[in-house]
Amino acid sequence: MAGEESTILLEALEGLTLEDFQEFKKKLPHTDIKGGWNIGRDELEKVTHPSSLISYMGDSYGEGAAMDIAISLFEEMNQRDLAEKILDEKVKEYKQKYTEHVAREFLQYKEANSCLGENLSVRDRYTNLTIARKSWDQHGDEPGDVSSDTVTTQTLFEPSKDGQVPPITVLVGASGMGKTMTIRKVMMEWVEGTLCTQFDYVFCIDCKELSFSKEVSMVDLISKCCPQQRMPAGRILGNPEKILFIFDSFDALGLPLAQPKDELSTDPTEAKPLETTLLSLLRRTVLPESSVLIATRPAALQSLGQCLEGKHYVEILGFSPAAREEYFHRYFGNDSKADVAFRFTRGNEVLYSLCVIPVMSWTVCTVLERELYERNQLLACSKTTTQMIMFYLSWLMKHRVSNAWQNLQQFLHKLCSLAADGIWKHKVLFEEKEIEDQGLNQPQLLSLFLNEKGLEKGTGHVNVYSFSHLHLQELFAAMFYVLEDQDGMVSDSRILAKDVNMLLESYHTSRMDLNVTVRLLFGLVNPKSVEYAGEGIGCRISLQPREDLLRWLQTRPRGTSHPREVMKIEDLDTSHLLFETNEKSFVQSVLGSFTGIALQDVKLTLYDQAALCFSIKQWAGLLSATLRSCSFHQQHHRQEPAKGLPRQSWRQEELHSPLHPLCQALGHPGSSLQSLRLQWCGLTEGDSGALGTLLATLPSLVHLELGDGALGDDGVRMLCAGLRQPGCQLRVLR
């Protein structure tokens, strides 16, 4: 034996009289010990010094058990001061080792995309979430709704407005909202002494690991938290007000939370069925002075509300706009890459809005990190909005509570029908009867995609449901039109008809609110999306609607008032729809019907530019491009060009020009562009290099208009350098 405990025991034995020392040795062989063997009397006769006796005890019983035996024998001998002193040291030693164990388990973690052996720091990655305190009859708000009292991990265990610190706190959040990460943050700050300092012990229990437990006591549950150490249970449980129990993934247990009170336990050492032991803690019949934090999905919220006496719970609503940007910087660790990735995402309303969900922010960052690694810029990003959302859904499927795969597929078909019906009817709230009529009343699956919300109706109370985000409802609505029907599915006259043409025509003529649904529909018929749906979600997507989508884009009214005029595309929407398909042959088939593009008064975000450049690169028949009063967001922060810029710096200035990606796309191999008009687009000196390169490398370009630009002297010189190149065939410059 070694360490402080053995030193204290040695001091205790050395302080005994010879008579007491002999009595201690005499009692030792009669000790009942599990997992070890007693020291024989003959061996004890040879032991004459306390240090030798401690060594024998350690070898025979193990260090932890030896200390427990010594404490027990001292109490029998009425040497209570010695027993108390050793016990104090044992508790101190246990707490130190337990704290070290928590630090190892919680301060670092692995993500799904981590390299082998790579651990991430909670301190470096954790980003503050919006967490709201709500009453039990108020839940299911849209992510980002901060109308309720907000709390943080620092104020989670502080008194609420009524001055009360609830003994039981329920932390609610849909899958991927950051419950487990928040718990890691709490555990980390407890170890560091910056949070929960009122607790001597914080025991975190992962309920997914308890699912198959049968009979357990509270002592058994605590022992699971630090399995390598013998726990001084009596001393720890003797101060229950100093203990915080945390239960993560509580909904995974699926336990009934209603039992007669006389069946509940009052003894923390008594082993009972798992549900009885947990309910005893929640109903405060065992360790009533302790505190409890329960992290759960919304599925278990209603039953918990009926079981607990508290008035409030707290709900994770996701990332605020500022937190989304902070998360990107924490993820990348490189300010330049983080800035590019965030501004690219910020320019995509659908993705940016979905990034309120922490795991969606992680998904987007993971995809964009790979894109930056492979291409060093995002304007040639190969991943569409649809594909990123499919990655997120695939993550949800991997983290679902175990269900039969067949049941899941049937559920998703019905869910898509509900989503589409809601989109057509401008409906985002669904009553309980609608959920039941659709056959969706499966709480564990339902809580993956829908939030439950309590509403007052007349004198009563009803539950309504909404998708965890509007854009997810729009994705499922789009999936409704392309999912293959399963064998054995019975047609229902109440279900919306899968008429893709009616959807497209309604969008074109009167229902602009269908924009996201239609865009995601185009993305779903991309072969990669079909593959993701099959492997990640298990849904078969039909490619049959592709022909309807192709025909619609080819034949919808074009931007022309006379048959002899150039067939122009006059909206950015077409580029976004084509970008979502992300398939060259499809894009080329559509663009073959057009020879020009004309955009006016458009603020082109990085995502808009990626979509536009993707289309132009596949557009061999593009003859004219006109942009009037358009502005370009930049991939890199723009700096004022230095006066008298040396010639060798022109190329660098060109690369930082927001016009560079467009010029690069317009000059793609096989380009037939003849006319380019950039009028009132705020051109500056930095854009001249990109234009000069285009002039020098695209002999088909014969007409260039640069209205209302501020090219400056250096800009004119760079433009002239392009005009002097042999490849320049320009005839008109205005």
Side-chain angles (χ1 to χ4, degrees):
M1 291 175 63
E4 288 295 323
E5 290 181 358
S6 61
T7 301
I8 296 295
L9 179 56
L10 179 61
E11 290 176 358
L13 290 175
E14 287 178 338
L16 294 175
T17 64
L18 181 59
E19 182 181 354
D20 287 338
F21 183 67
Q22 294 299 330
E23 183 183 354
F24 186 93
K25 288 201 303 178
K26 184 178 179 181
K27 289 178 176 290
L28 201 53
H30 302 288
T31 304
D32 183 22
I33 180 69
K34 294 179 181 179
W37 58 88
N38 282 326
I39 301 174
R41 290 185 180 181
D42 294 340
E43 294 177 83
L44 283 174
E45 289 294 330
K46 303 173 186 177
V47 177
T48 59
H49 194 275
S51 60
S52 302
L53 181 59
I54 291 173
S55 296
Y56 270 101
M57 290 173 66
D59 293 341
S60 299
Y61 307 133
E63 183 175 342
M67 297 298 293
D68 290 339
I69 290 170
I71 293 169
S72 176
L73 292 182
F74 281 135
E75 287 176 342
E76 282 185 35
M77 295 167 59
N78 207 27
Q79 298 280 352
R80 299 192 182 279
D81 289 345
L82 293 178
E84 194 70 19
K85 188 174 181 180
I86 297 172
L87 184 56
D88 285 343
E89 188 58 41
K90 182 177 176 63
V91 171
K92 179 181 174 183
E93 185 82 6
Y94 174 81
K95 185 175 181 182
Q96 176 64 31
K97 290 181 178 179
Y98 177 66
T99 303
E100 292 170 358
H101 171 78
V102 170
R104 288 192 301 271
E105 291 292 313
F106 289 94
L107 298 196
Q108 292 190 322
Y109 70 104
K110 291 186 72 68
E111 285 185 343
N113 61 336
S114 299
C115 299
L116 184 64
E118 179 188 13
N119 289 318
L120 300 170
S121 165
V122 174
R123 184 185 296 103
D124 293 340
R125 183 60 62 85
Y126 182 82
T127 306
N128 284 330
L129 294 157
T130 299
I131 306 175
R133 181 178 282 111
K134 300 182 177 181
S135 61
W136 281 105
D137 58 358
Q138 173 201 8
H139 62 275
D141 288 352
E142 283 290 310
D145 184 341
V146 291
S147 57
S148 307
D149 297 335
T150 56
V151 297
T152 65
T153 54
Q154 288 291 333
T155 61
L156 201 54
F157 302 99
E158 291 183 359
S160 57
K161 285 185 176 180
D162 58 9
Q164 299 296 313
V165 178
I168 299 179
T169 300
V170 179
L171 177 68
V172 179
S175 185
M177 289 300 281
K179 299 182 297 297
T180 297
M181 195 67 168
T182 299
I183 287 173
R184 284 188 174 276
K185 173 76 167 173
V186 170
M187 297 298 288
M188 179 191 78
E189 294 190 343
W190 175 72
V191 168
E192 294 175 341
T194 57
L195 184 67
C196 300
T197 54
Q198 68 270 43
F199 301 114
D200 287 343
Y201 295 94
V202 179
F203 296 113
C204 183
I205 299 160
D206 186 349
C207 293
K208 293 192 293 292
E209 297 177 2
L210 298 181
S211 300
F212 303 104
S213 299
K214 293 184 179 178
E215 290 202 344
V216 293
S217 66
M218 285 305 303
V219 172
D220 294 331
L221 292 179
I222 294 173
S223 298
K224 291 177 182 292
C225 297
C226 193
Q228 293 79 21
Q229 302 297 323
R230 290 178 63 87
M231 180 185 65
R235 179 61 67 87
I236 292 174
L237 298 179
N239 296 289
E241 72 281 359
K242 294 287 188 179
I243 302 174
L244 169 63
F245 293 103
I246 298 179
F247 294 94
D248 191 15
S249 303
F250 187 83
D251 52 288
L253 296 173
L255 298 176
L257 294 178
Q259 284 192 20
K261 197 161 186 176
D262 57 3
E263 293 182 9
L264 302 180
S265 175
T266 58
D267 180 0
T269 65
E270 181 183 17
K272 286 208 169 193
L274 177 62
E275 59 268 29
T276 303
T277 297
L278 289 178
L279 198 56
S280 300
L281 180 68
L282 300 185
R283 297 284 293 274
R284 321 308 284 156
T285 63
V286 67
L287 302 176
E289 297 88 357
S290 65
S291 296
V292 180
L293 172 63
I294 298 172
T296 180
R297 293 178 184 174
L301 189 59
Q302 189 169 2
S303 56
L304 277 170
Q306 295 169 353
C307 163
L308 303 178
E309 296 179 357
K311 297 179 180 179
H312 299 90
Y313 67 96
V314 293
E315 181 173 6
I316 298 176
L317 302 180
F319 283 150
S320 67
R324 285 171 237 181
E325 184 170 8
E326 179 188 343
Y327 179 84
F328 272 66
H329 281 268
R330 286 181 176 274
Y331 181 95
F332 284 95
N334 177 303
D335 285 343
S336 175
K337 288 185 177 180
D339 188 58
V340 169
F342 180 74
R343 285 189 294 115
F344 180 82
T345 305
R346 185 69 183 86
N348 181 335
E349 184 276 330
V350 176
L351 275 186
Y352 179 70
S353 180
L354 281 168
C355 281
V356 69
I357 304 171
V359 77
M360 190 66 198
S361 286
W362 170 80
T363 301
V364 172
C365 286
T366 300
V367 171
L368 297 186
E369 180 183 40
R370 187 67 184 174
E371 292 288 322
L372 283 169
Y373 175 78
E374 292 178 351
R375 297 174 174 81
N376 201 34
Q377 53 104 9
L378 293 179
L379 291 177
C381 181
S382 64
K383 297 296 184 292
T384 67
T385 303
T386 310
Q387 289 171 12
M388 291 195 205
I389 301 176
M390 296 296 279
F391 288 148
Y392 164 66
L393 291 180
S394 177
W395 182 92
L396 276 184
M397 295 298 101
K398 291 175 183 175
H399 290 77
R400 73 187 189 280
V401 177
S402 179
N403 284 90
W405 190 254
Q406 181 68 18
N407 290 342
L408 177 63
Q409 305 320 304
Q410 292 175 356
F411 180 88
L412 286 176
H413 275 76
K414 296 171 182 176
L415 186 71
C416 291
S417 175
L418 180 77
D421 187 63
I423 291 297
W424 275 105
K425 296 176 180 177
H426 301 281
K427 189 173 186 177
V428 295
L429 294 178
F430 304 91
E431 293 187 5
E432 207 156 13
K433 187 176 185 305
E434 294 175 273
I435 299 297
E436 293 173 357
D437 289 346
Q438 287 277 6
L440 293 169
N441 50 336
Q442 302 178 46
Q444 296 292 356
L445 288 175
L446 194 67
S447 64
L448 286 176
F449 310 106
L450 272 72
N451 293 332
E452 184 181 352
K453 185 173 187 176
L455 289 180
E456 299 297 330
K457 189 173 183 180
T459 58
H461 179 88
V462 296
N463 290 329
V464 294
Y465 297 82
S466 64
F467 283 83
S468 54
H469 197 287
L470 173 60
H471 293 323
L472 291 181
Q473 181 178 350
E474 290 168 321
L475 176 78
F476 285 119
M479 286 181 68
F480 169 77
Y481 289 93
V482 294
L483 279 184
E484 289 185 5
D485 291 333
Q486 289 185 299
D487 296 335
M489 284 189 67
V490 180
S491 60
D492 189 336
S493 59
R494 296 173 299 174
I495 295 178
L496 189 68
K498 290 187 177 183
D499 191 337
V500 172
N501 289 311
M502 183 175 75
L503 173 70
L504 296 173
E505 187 59 27
S506 296
Y507 168 56
H508 179 68
T509 57
S510 60
R511 292 288 302 272
M512 289 304 296
D513 59 293
L514 295 173
N515 171 267
V516 175
T517 302
V518 170
R519 187 184 297 186
L520 296 175
L521 176 62
F522 274 82
L524 285 170
V525 296
N526 168 276
K528 278 290 183 185
S529 296
V530 174
E531 181 183 332
Y532 295 149
E535 294 179 358
I537 309 176
C539 292
R540 296 195 305 272
I541 288 181
S542 169
L543 291 177
Q544 187 174 346
R546 280 168 58 90
E547 293 304 315
D548 293 326
L549 300 179
L550 175 62
R551 188 164 48 251
W552 178 70
L553 277 180
Q554 288 175 328
T555 59
R556 68 174 177 166
R558 293 97 182 268
T560 177
S561 58
H562 193 278
R564 292 184 180 180
E565 290 185 13
V566 173
M567 296 296 188
K568 295 179 183 177
I569 292 176
E570 295 186 340
D571 60 75
L572 195 58
D573 185 46
T574 299
S575 291
H576 277 296
L577 296 177
L578 294 175
F579 184 55
E580 283 302 315
T581 65
N582 216 254
E583 188 182 1
K584 292 182 180 180
S585 60
F586 185 94
V587 175
Q588 290 166 353
S589 297
V590 171
L591 295 178
S593 304
F594 302 90
T595 55
I597 184 169
L599 301 178
Q600 186 166 341
D601 297 321
V602 178
K603 293 181 178 179
L604 292 156
T605 68
L606 288 181
Y607 198 82
D608 293 334
Q609 293 173 56
L612 179 62
C613 291
F614 171 79
S615 297
I616 289 174
K617 286 178 181 178
Q618 324 306 324
W619 200 347
L622 177 63
L623 300 179
S624 69
T626 301
L627 282 79
R628 289 190 177 93
S629 301
C630 295
S631 60
F632 299 83
H633 286 203
Q634 297 168 260
Q635 176 158 309
H636 302 280
H637 282 303
R638 189 169 197 162
Q639 297 177 345
E640 287 298 319
K643 296 297 181 183
L645 198 66
R647 184 180 182 87
Q648 59 267 30
S649 300
W650 290 358
R651 176 61 180 164
Q652 189 64 31
E653 193 64 27
E654 173 195 338
L655 290 174
H656 283 88
S657 161
L659 205 60
H660 172 69
L662 176 63
C663 289
Q664 198 174 42
L666 290 169
H668 69 89
S671 172
S672 305
L673 184 70
Q674 297 175 3
S675 174
L676 174 61
R677 295 178 176 86
L678 299 171
Q679 299 169 331
W680 307 290
C681 292
L683 302 182
T684 65
E685 289 182 3
D687 300 316
S688 301
L691 289 168
T693 299
L694 182 64
L695 289 171
T697 56
L698 187 60
S700 64
L701 184 61
V702 295
H703 187 110
L704 177 63
E705 293 186 24
L706 305 173
D708 194 35
L711 300 183
D713 293 342
D714 285 333
V716 171
R717 277 194 286 271
M718 283 187 275
L719 196 61
C720 289
L723 289 168
R724 287 194 292 267
Q725 297 302 310
C728 179
Q729 302 295 319
L730 196 70
R731 297 174 188 170
V732 178
L733 174 62
R734 293 177 183 168

